[in-house]
Amino acid sequence: DQDRFDRLRYIEIKHGRICMLGFLGQIVTRYGVRLPGDIDFSGTSFESIPNGWAAVQAIPESGLLQMLAFVGFLEGFVMLDSANGAEPGEFVGDLRNGSLDFGWDTFDEEQQDFKRGVELNNGRAAMLGLLVDSANGAEPGEFVGDLRNGSLDFGWDTFDEEQQDFKRGVELNNGRAAMLGLLGLMVHEQLGGELPIVGPM
């Protein structure tokens, strides 16, 4: 229904905005721009923090707690939607709260719809980009598609080479079958569930 759609759209927009900021941060730090000084009192410099997902493991625990507290403060008191006591926005994801505007009201309806679509698409691209970028910063795997990152194993190293090759082949074939199956389901639903070969589902 509309309420559920609005909720999911709000979550998508929110995650997209976070990932756009995160991806921009990845670009800046990988370019070599770092804050001066140390991140803690023990002498851990910002320059020594690695890129990608490895940065989370390198940041001191107190630093992670500070970031979590700051995000919680923003969630609870600043970036509010109408469901959390803020002034009702004009659309899902409108967090201006009656103060932040940046010239939004100067655009006509067509321009506003266009800019909202741009934000949505850029957010989707940033979510995928940040995921890939984080994986690229992980420890090198033994083969293409090895995303264990030095931690997730689930007994992989207990298999001999023949078993590993077999399991990788099974995963590859299952992925291909799933892609074809999902594509077939999408086509079937798009045609109204009336395929002469398969019949109604």
Side-chain angles (χ1 to χ4, degrees), residues 30-173:
R30 288 180 184 274
Y31 185 72
V33 179
R34 301 297 177 93
L35 293 173
D38 299 330
I39 196 173
D40 59 12
F41 293 111
S42 62
T44 304
S45 65
F46 286 102
E47 189 69 29
S48 65
I49 302 297
N51 296 315
W53 185 251
V56 178
Q57 299 172 331
I59 296 175
E61 183 178 347
S62 59
L64 292 176
L65 292 176
Q66 290 176 35
M67 289 190 289
L68 183 62
F70 179 66
V71 171
F73 172 76
L74 293 178
E75 285 282 325
F77 301 99
V78 181
M79 307 302 292
L80 301 177
D81 59 358
S82 58
N84 293 320
E87 294 187 13
E90 298 177 4
F91 50 86
V92 176
D94 182 4
L95 302 181
R96 291 176 294 162
N97 302 340
S99 57
L100 301 174
D101 191 270
F102 302 110
W104 178 258
D105 292 328
T106 63
F107 303 124
D108 58 34
E109 185 176 356
E110 184 178 356
Q111 290 175 311
Q112 289 179 349
D113 288 342
F114 171 76
K115 290 181 179 295
R116 288 175 59 192
V118 169
E119 180 191 32
L120 189 63
N121 289 330
N122 287 350
R124 291 168 176 169
M127 284 188 276
L128 292 174
L130 189 62
L131 176 64
V132 173
D133 189 73
S134 298
N136 285 337
E139 296 181 9
E142 297 177 5
F143 51 85
V144 176
D146 183 3
L147 302 181
R148 292 176 293 164
N149 301 343
S151 57
L152 300 175
D153 190 88
F154 303 111
W156 178 260
D157 292 329
T158 63
F159 303 124
D160 58 34
E161 185 175 355
E162 183 178 356
Q163 289 175 312
Q164 289 180 348
D165 289 342
F166 171 76
K167 291 181 179 296
R168 288 173 61 191
V170 169
E171 179 189 29
L172 189 63
N173 288 331

Side-chain angles (χ1 to χ4, degrees), residues 170-182:
V170 169
E171 179 189 29
L172 189 63
N173 288 331
N174 287 348
R176 290 169 175 168
M179 286 186 282
L180 289 174
L182 184 59

